[in-house]
Amino acid sequence: AQSVTQLDSQVPVFEEAPVELRCNYSSSVSVYLFWYVQYPNQGLQLLLKYLSGSTLVESINGFEAEFNKSQTSFHLRKPSVHISDTAEYFCAVTLNTGGFKTIFGAGTRLFVKA
Amino acid sequence: SAVISQKPSRDICQRGTSLTIQCQVDSQVTMMFWYRQQPGQSLTLIATANQGSEATYESGFVIDKFPISRPNLTFSTLTVSNMSPEDSSIYLCSVRPGQGLPLHFGNGTRLTVT
């Protein structure tokens, strides 16, 4: 069965510190990988995606994620966080088969402290 | 990118009643997906709705409880039937504009069952 594991439910960090949010997946078929962000009381927004090509993908607000096929991971990183990055982050995989359904991880709450 | 309008945005319903949620997309899409996000939790796929065929339900979700309609390529409804307080959640409609592309989400319907 396919699954997505986000190893940390909560990550508190100080402003301007680096952060890594971990994501591992399990799938018997190839996948597309995504990170979504949900700010307080808002809907889900796509943060970044890996479809193919370069394994390092970047977002416009300084986040990056690297696809590691051998470790089946897609960890999200940012070298220096801001207060405004406080949100829930969801890792997701879309199965490249059949109905192309998307499975979400449990989410990681990033809390940036001043 | 697809723009999704979901109605109602929120509702408070009594136990034993039913609520129908509407999802309108501004472009034609083959697949529409219905998710549930229970308080403080991740997204769980309820079902995949293809136009012209019956919806495909995930484990733990049944058609009698969550009937879905998909009359055309831009519209779908999800009904939450015979509601109980455990059905209190945010229900989200989503679409994928093309193969491998990320999901786009509506703003969700926040349902409270009393």
Side-chain angles (χ1 to χ4, degrees):
Chain A
Q2 293 81 10
S3 65
V4 180
T5 302
Q6 291 184 245
L7 296 166
D8 307 295
S9 60
Q10 294 186 62
V11 174
V13 294
F14 285 103
E15 193 173 21
E16 298 183 5
V19 70
E20 179 179 77
L21 307 183
R22 296 177 291 171
C23 173
N24 288 87
Y25 70 92
S26 172
S27 176
S28 57
V29 301
S30 63
V31 298
Y32 305 110
L33 297 156
F34 307 93
W35 277 97
Y36 287 85
V37 58
Q38 187 174 35
Y39 297 103
N41 299 313
Q42 295 188 29
L44 270 82
Q45 303 173 33
L46 178 68
L47 185 61
L48 45 76
K49 62 188 177 188
Y50 172 77
L51 304 181
S52 64
S54 172
T55 57
L56 183 65
V57 291
E58 299 177 354
S59 72
I60 59 174
N61 57 354
F63 283 94
E64 64 179 29
E66 185 161 19
F67 170 51
N68 188 318
K69 187 175 182 179
S70 63
Q71 297 184 7
T72 60
S73 67
F74 191 53
H75 301 332
L76 180 70
R77 295 187 292 262
K78 188 170 185 179
S80 176
V81 295
H82 303 290
I83 296 286
S84 59
D85 292 323
T86 293
E88 189 87 20
Y89 291 81
F90 294 98
C91 180
V93 300
T94 294
L95 309 179
N96 189 13
T97 184
F100 296 95
K101 66 181 182 181
T102 299
I103 302 169
F104 285 80
T108 297
R109 175 161 173 71
L110 176 63
F111 179 59
V112 182
K113 301 177 286 186
Chain B
S1 63
V3 176
I4 302 171
S5 301
Q6 200 172 324
K7 294 191 299 186
S9 59
R10 60 177 62 230
D11 207 342
I12 301 174
C13 301
Q14 291 193 341
R15 180 197 300 261
T17 62
S18 298
L19 176 70
T20 295
I21 302 167
Q22 299 180 3
C23 179
Q24 179 76 51
V25 189
D26 69 343
S27 57
Q28 294 184 340
V29 292
T30 303
M31 294 180 184
M32 296 178 77
F33 304 88
W34 286 98
Y35 283 86
R36 180 174 73 182
Q37 186 177 22
Q38 293 179 300
Q41 298 190 29
S42 186
L43 282 75
T44 302
L45 181 63
I46 298 172
T48 302
N50 292 336
Q51 192 268 336
S53 63
E54 285 196 6
T56 303
Y57 289 83
E58 297 300 307
S59 176
F61 297 96
V62 295
I63 188 171
D64 290 345
K65 175 68 176 178
F66 298 100
I68 288 172
S69 78
R70 184 78 201 275
N72 57 53
L73 290 173
T74 63
F75 187 78
S76 178
T77 67
L78 169 76
T79 299
V80 186
S81 303
N82 188 24
M83 289 184 284
S84 66
E86 292 71 34
D87 294 319
S88 297
S89 283
I90 298 174
Y91 291 85
L92 295 150
C93 169
S94 67
V95 303
R96 178 174 295 107
Q99 181 177 335
L101 295 179
L103 291 175
H104 293 259
F105 286 89
N107 284 331
T109 296
R110 184 180 295 272
L111 171 62
T112 302
V113 183
T114 60

